[in-house]
Amino acid sequence: MPTGAQALLRTLVDAGVTVCFTNPGTSEMHFVAALDSVPEMRAVLALFEGVATGAADGYARMTGRPAATLLHLGPGLGNGLANLHNARRARVPVVNIVGDHATYHVQYDAQLQSDIETVARNVSPGWVRTSTSAEALPTDLAEAVAAASGPPGQVATLIVPADLSWAEGVQPAVPVAPATPPLADGAAIEAARSALLGKKSALLLGGSALHGPALRAAGRIAAATGATLFAEVFPRRIERGAGVPPVERIAYFAELASVQLAGLKHLVLVDAPAPVSFFAYPGKKSYLVPEGCMIHRLTTDGQDVAGTLEALAEVVVTRETARAAPKSKQPVSIPTLPKGRLTAETACRTVAALLPEGAIVSDEANTSGVSFAGASAGAPPHDVLTLTGGAIGQGLPVAVGAAIACPDRPVVALEADGSALYTIQSLWTMARERLDVTVVIFNNRSYGILDVELQRVGAQASGQKAQAQLDLADPPVDFVAVSRGLGVPAVLATTTQELATALRNAFAEPGPHLIEVAVPPVFSGRRLKALPMVLGSLESLPGPLAKALKRRIAP
């Protein structure tokens, strides 16, 4: 007779969820045992819950479908919260299955007892449930999958008491049919059309508007109207490269974002919120929409973004405008391989010059990666996945999930040294699953972004104790040794030529590879001290000069 755990797995597979990222404990052992009875389910072990949750995020970004996670009680869920936060901000579908104590054991307040629902609501506010009977368990899970799938996508969390997993005679549930997303209403489409036909207009794209048919429709609209195409600061997935409509990402620094948006009269939001500063800074604006600029929301959560953009294109792109429109595709422009000294900038140019067609780039290089977008704009077509929620430690797990989602595509993880150490266990899963991931670790031996933020927030801190909190040089981390210890071949690159050779070798050989790139910090010394003053002066500079400075700081 099937157990509750077997019924859970069969329900998942029947609903189209065929990958589960796991870090189980005692309460989940019946689920683990049931895996052999459902061969369609691929179970991927992670050594840390943050790897499992981040991998589920990366998988969903590339497939549009949920993966499941298997987590151990409240502490296990807690260990995975940071990357579930990123998944929530990305609005991707993830189904968490969290084991709990048996229902009759709860009264004893054993050591691992906790309020799991309260923890879960931080990252899955739209759907949390604790199953209360074995008979209801599969139905609960089917509804969790439907809720996660949306639209819009979300994190759904089902808490499963252990005795429901081992109960016998439980039958799987019939999948819940997914909802069909509607188009935006005619009034929203007409308002967007009017706005875009006016002067100084732009579309701000986010979510599912930045790849596939949606992006191509947005490109046609921009070409026909002269509107600028912007992307949110940290998009969950953005398609880029030669032949793809070019989109300018809003800058992380609020001062630079204000330069990009200056002068706009109409901003049309497509699956994206209005731009705001990532943090608050003394004396600086938090809301970045220019004064006098009207906001028009084309789509709301749960609507058909691609279909709505196609509908807008139909009323905007006439035969005459299509004929007169400038080219709306990024031209081929592959940078020449740099020579000599290895810096973050030359490393980014080297990666861009050798980037394989169809690559998926998981970008968590932080300050070291600021020049990659400019260098790779005309590279072969590729996708970039970014740090949607700002909780670092995402890049390597997302690369794991993307590689499992798209085994026929090479994955490149551009990773900062500090961020890598949050979820370095990802390397072991890459090795175990033989994933085609090339990891490039930018090792500047510092929390570079925090060096910048220390200057920007106006904190008067230059003493030894303060600086020690941002320094990773004592002792230095040997990423080559760490990587080899976790089963991934690794090399150290200290010149651009060594990096180019290492990249060619990694791209030519299947399986995971790690390249440690020894680089100085992008912002240091006089440049670091001058940055707040330069950013603060942008508002008073003439527009062309401000934009030129913006391109120099963040291409």
Side-chain angles (χ1 to χ4, degrees):
M1 297 180 69
T3 64
Q6 289 172 322
L8 278 180
L9 280 162
R10 178 52 58 188
T11 299
L12 281 173
V13 167
D14 290 348
V17 181
T18 56
V19 175
C20 183
F21 297 98
T22 77
N23 190 276
T26 303
S27 301
E28 296 76 47
M29 285 299 100
H30 283 81
F31 188 103
V32 171
L35 286 167
D36 288 311
S37 68
V38 185
E40 303 97 316
M41 176 60 72
R42 180 176 182 179
V44 179
L45 178 61
L47 299 184
F48 174 62
E49 294 90 339
V51 176
T53 54
D57 179 4
Y59 179 91
R61 294 189 195 201
M62 295 310 302
T63 64
R65 304 190 311 273
T69 70
L70 181 66
L71 306 173
H72 183 45
L73 294 103
L77 174 61
N79 281 342
L81 281 184
N83 279 328
L84 288 172
H85 164 79
N86 291 326
R88 178 180 71 85
R89 299 298 301 194
R91 291 176 295 159
V92 296
V94 175
V95 177
N96 292 322
I97 299 172
V98 184
D100 196 5
H101 289 300
T103 53
Y104 59 83
H105 194 66
V106 170
Q107 62 182 311
Y108 301 111
D109 192 26
Q111 285 83 348
L112 275 170
Q113 184 68 39
S114 66
D115 183 352
I116 303 174
E117 287 196 5
T118 295
V119 176
R121 286 194 183 94
N122 288 280
V123 291
S124 54
W127 204 97
V128 178
R129 185 179 299 173
T130 300
S131 284
T132 57
S133 72
E135 294 75 20
L137 180 61
T139 300
D140 289 340
L141 183 58
E143 292 178 3
V145 173
S149 301
Q154 65 174 312
V155 179
T157 302
L158 179 65
I159 301 161
V160 181
D163 52 329
L164 307 192
S165 285
W166 70 58
E168 294 184 343
V170 184
Q171 298 301 319
V174 175
V176 177
T180 300
L183 295 177
D185 62 41
I189 293 172
E190 174 56 27
R193 184 195 71 83
S194 276
L196 293 170
L197 292 177
K199 293 183 179 180
K200 297 182 178 178
S201 62
L203 294 108
L204 176 54
L205 310 178
S208 56
L210 285 165
H211 59 89
L215 178 56
R216 281 150 183 78
R220 297 198 307 274
I221 293 165
T225 62
T228 303
L229 283 185
F230 288 118
E232 57 189 339
V233 180
F234 289 125
R236 73 184 183 214
R237 175 184 174 186
I238 179 169
E239 192 176 345
R240 307 179 70 249
V244 177
V247 184
E248 183 179 351
R249 276 173 62 181
I250 299 295
Y252 169 81
F253 295 145
E255 299 91 335
L256 300 182
S258 294
V259 170
Q260 293 173 283
L261 300 171
L264 282 180
K265 299 301 180 185
H266 297 278
L267 185 61
V268 178
L269 305 180
V270 188
D271 209 17
V276 298
S277 174
F278 211 77
F279 295 104
Y281 298 93
K284 303 292 177 64
K285 295 185 296 185
S286 292
Y287 186 66
L288 302 182
V289 177
E291 290 186 16
C293 178
M294 294 186 63
I295 291 290
H296 310 270
R297 191 173 296 278
L298 178 61
T299 60
T300 58
D301 284 349
Q303 291 183 330
D304 181 349
V305 173
T308 298
L309 282 168
E310 289 285 358
L312 178 58
E314 286 182 10
V315 298
V316 166
V317 183
T318 64
R319 185 175 300 176
E320 290 73 22
T321 58
R323 188 183 300 119
K327 292 182 179 179
S328 61
K329 294 181 180 179
Q330 179 71 43
V332 176
S333 177
I334 299 175
T336 57
L337 281 171
K339 296 180 179 179
R341 183 169 178 257
L342 188 58
T343 65
E345 182 181 357
T346 58
C348 286
R349 284 171 52 200
T350 303
V351 174
L354 298 175
L355 194 67
E357 183 171 356
I360 301 167
V361 180
S362 177
D363 180 10
E364 196 180 31
N366 299 335
T367 54
S368 292
V370 293
S371 62
F372 178 74
S376 60
H382 59 280
D383 286 287
V384 176
L385 315 179
T386 75
L387 187 61
T388 51
I392 63 173
Q394 172 195 278
L396 298 180
V398 161
V400 168
I404 288 174
C406 303
D408 57 335
R409 298 179 62 178
V411 176
V412 180
L414 303 180
E415 190 65 38
D417 51 348
S419 297
L421 292 170
Y422 279 57
T423 47
I424 198 70
Q425 307 93 328
S426 304
L427 297 176
W428 185 87
T429 300
M430 292 178 192
R432 179 184 176 95
E433 299 292 326
R434 295 170 175 80
L435 302 179
D436 192 12
V437 180
T438 299
V439 178
V440 179
I441 301 281
F442 292 85
N443 189 356
N444 59 20
R445 298 186 176 180
S446 71
Y447 280 127
I449 187 61
L450 296 185
D451 272 326
V452 174
E453 295 291 19
L454 186 65
Q455 301 293 322
R456 294 184 69 217
V457 300
Q460 301 300 313
S462 58
Q464 187 175 4
K465 285 184 180 179
Q467 291 300 318
Q469 308 315 303
L470 315 180
D471 177 65
L472 302 180
D474 184 18
V477 179
D478 184 344
F479 283 98
V480 170
V482 172
S483 181
R484 290 173 178 170
L486 290 169
V488 175
V491 296
L492 173 67
T494 58
T495 67
T496 54
Q497 292 89 336
E498 289 176 353
L499 174 57
T501 298
L503 284 168
R504 289 190 182 102
N505 291 340
F507 293 151
E509 183 180 71
H513 298 80
L514 182 140
I515 306 167
E516 180 181 350
V517 181
V519 295
V522 171
F523 300 103
S524 61
R526 292 180 180 177
R527 190 178 186 191
L528 178 62
K529 292 185 180 301
L531 182 62
M533 291 183 287
V534 172
L535 293 175
S537 70
L538 289 173
E539 193 172 359
S540 61
L541 294 176
L545 180 56
K547 289 185 177 181
L549 274 173
K550 183 269 167 192
R551 287 191 295 271
R552 187 175 181 85
I553 297 169

